[in-house]
């Protein structure tokens, strides 16, 4: 429970900070970026409060429980995290849509892997884990390839920004299926409390930490003279 309270406090602090920034930003690109991270942290704040007060978990038998509510909030917050990245990288609608679709499939099938009853053969849990991980690999593939290509075309002076952002993003996100695999839901190498700690650290890094990285990246983009890529599209008038 301690980890959950720490998570609650970190997400409250993060959402307060990003919220104030969003409200006081003048440029539209900053309003969009700060608002996204505000809502990402706000959703996580609600998740952690539910878990800290003892809800959101389901007994699966054998004295174990599964925290199903994580999947509900991931389903809501991961698309916003992806939108933060596609906004920064000026991604095409095709790429953005593909990423959001694969992400929804990843979380939904990960949820199936988790929620199967205790007496389900272990192999079946792992099959669903593998299906979900397949969607994740597609996401990672798109980031390394098409995402970087599109971003570097739209913001030619800021290539290094996207190498860094994609690297940090993939390191953090790859840790989630890894934690799942070693946790009680997977092979059971770590206990429920360690699992809660690891997810908490990852969640704070992937939401609050990544919010700062995104802001830092936008600042670098501006310094590089690439901010024009964010100018509102001019509508031609007759
Ligand atoms: C699961 C289990 C099944 C396999 C895979 C997973 C991936 C989860 C991911 C979650 C990311 C969450 C974030 C939350 C907020 O910060 C569902 C654990 C691939 C990538 C970034």
């Amino acid at each position: 429970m301690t980890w959950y309270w720490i998570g609650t406090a970190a997400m409250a602090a993060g959402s307060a900070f990003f919220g104030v920034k969003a409200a006081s930003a003048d440029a539209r690109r900053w309003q969009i970026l700060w608002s996204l991270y505000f809502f990402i942290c706000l959703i996580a704040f609600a998740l952690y409060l539910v878990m800290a007060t003892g809800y959101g978990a389901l007994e699966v038998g054998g004295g174990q429980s599964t925290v199903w509510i994580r999947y509900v909030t991931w389903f809501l917050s991961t698309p916003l995290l992806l939108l933060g990245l596609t906004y920064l990288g000026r991604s095409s609608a095709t790429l953005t849509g593909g990423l959001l679709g694969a992400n929804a499939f990843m979380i939904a099938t990960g949820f199936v892997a988790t929620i199967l009853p205790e007496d389900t053969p272990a192999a079946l849990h792992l099959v669903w884990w593998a299906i979900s991980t397949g969607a994740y690999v597609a996401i990672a593939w798109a980031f390394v390839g098409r995402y970087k290509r599109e971003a570097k075309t739209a913001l030619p002076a800021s290539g290094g920004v996207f190498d860094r952002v994609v690297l940090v993003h993939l390191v953090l996100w790859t840790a989630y299926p890894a934690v799942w695999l070693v946790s009680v839901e997977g092979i059971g190498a770590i206990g429920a409390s360690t699992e809660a700690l690891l997810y908490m650290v990852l969640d704070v890094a992937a939401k609050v930490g990544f919010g700062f990285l995104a802001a830092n990246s936008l600042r670098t983009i501006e310094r590089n003279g690439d901010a024009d890529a964010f100018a509102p599209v001019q509508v031609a008038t007759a």
Side-chain angles (χ1 to χ4, degrees):
M1 286 305 170
T2 313
W3 307 137
Y4 291 151
W5 282 115
I6 294 175
T8 310
M11 295 304 176
S15 51
F17 179 83
F18 294 139
V20 168
K21 287 297 221 181
S24 58
D26 36 19
R28 206 176 75 111
R29 54 180 175 272
W30 282 102
Q31 289 168 350
I32 292 173
L33 201 77
W34 291 127
S35 314
L36 277 173
Y37 289 94
F38 165 67
F39 283 111
I40 288 163
C41 291
L42 191 67
I43 292 168
F45 162 73
L47 162 71
Y48 274 92
L49 191 58
V50 169
M51 296 192 301
T53 50
Y55 297 92
L58 194 75
E59 294 295 328
V60 288
Q64 289 174 2
S65 60
T66 268
V67 188
W68 58 269
I69 199 165
R70 281 189 197 290
Y71 294 81
V72 177
T73 54
W74 285 349
F75 202 78
L76 301 170
S77 62
T78 50
L80 297 182
L81 283 166
L82 291 175
L83 285 179
L85 282 164
T86 57
Y87 180 68
L88 265 189
R90 316 309 295 136
S91 303
S92 63
T94 316
L95 174 59
T96 306
L99 286 172
L100 292 178
N103 183 71
F105 184 80
M106 174 188 81
I107 303 287
T109 52
F111 182 66
V112 174
T114 303
I115 212 72
L116 292 173
E118 169 76 359
D119 54 8
T120 309
L124 206 52
H125 284 270
L126 293 179
V127 166
W128 283 101
W129 176 88
I131 292 173
S132 175
T133 298
Y136 175 66
V137 169
I139 293 172
W141 183 261
F143 269 107
V144 171
R146 185 161 176 167
Y147 175 82
K148 280 199 198 182
R149 268 200 310 279
E150 289 190 3
K152 291 178 182 185
T153 306
L155 305 109
S158 305
V161 168
F162 293 100
D163 288 331
R164 190 176 59 154
V165 154
V166 167
L167 179 69
V168 176
H169 166 71
L170 292 183
V171 168
L172 287 172
W173 281 45
T174 303
Y176 283 85
V179 169
W180 192 99
L181 197 58
V182 295
S183 73
V184 183
E185 280 88 20
I187 59 173
I190 59 169
S193 172
T194 312
E195 178 188 4
L197 167 66
L198 291 176
Y199 276 140
M200 189 272 285
V201 171
L202 284 176
D203 280 348
V204 173
K207 297 181 165 88
V208 185
F210 207 87
F212 285 111
L213 176 64
N216 193 277
S217 304
L218 183 54
R219 228 168 277 125
T220 309
I221 287 168
E222 290 178 340
R223 263 203 309 274
N224 293 345
D226 271 338
D228 282 355
F230 294 91
V233 177
Q234 294 296 317
V235 178
T237 45

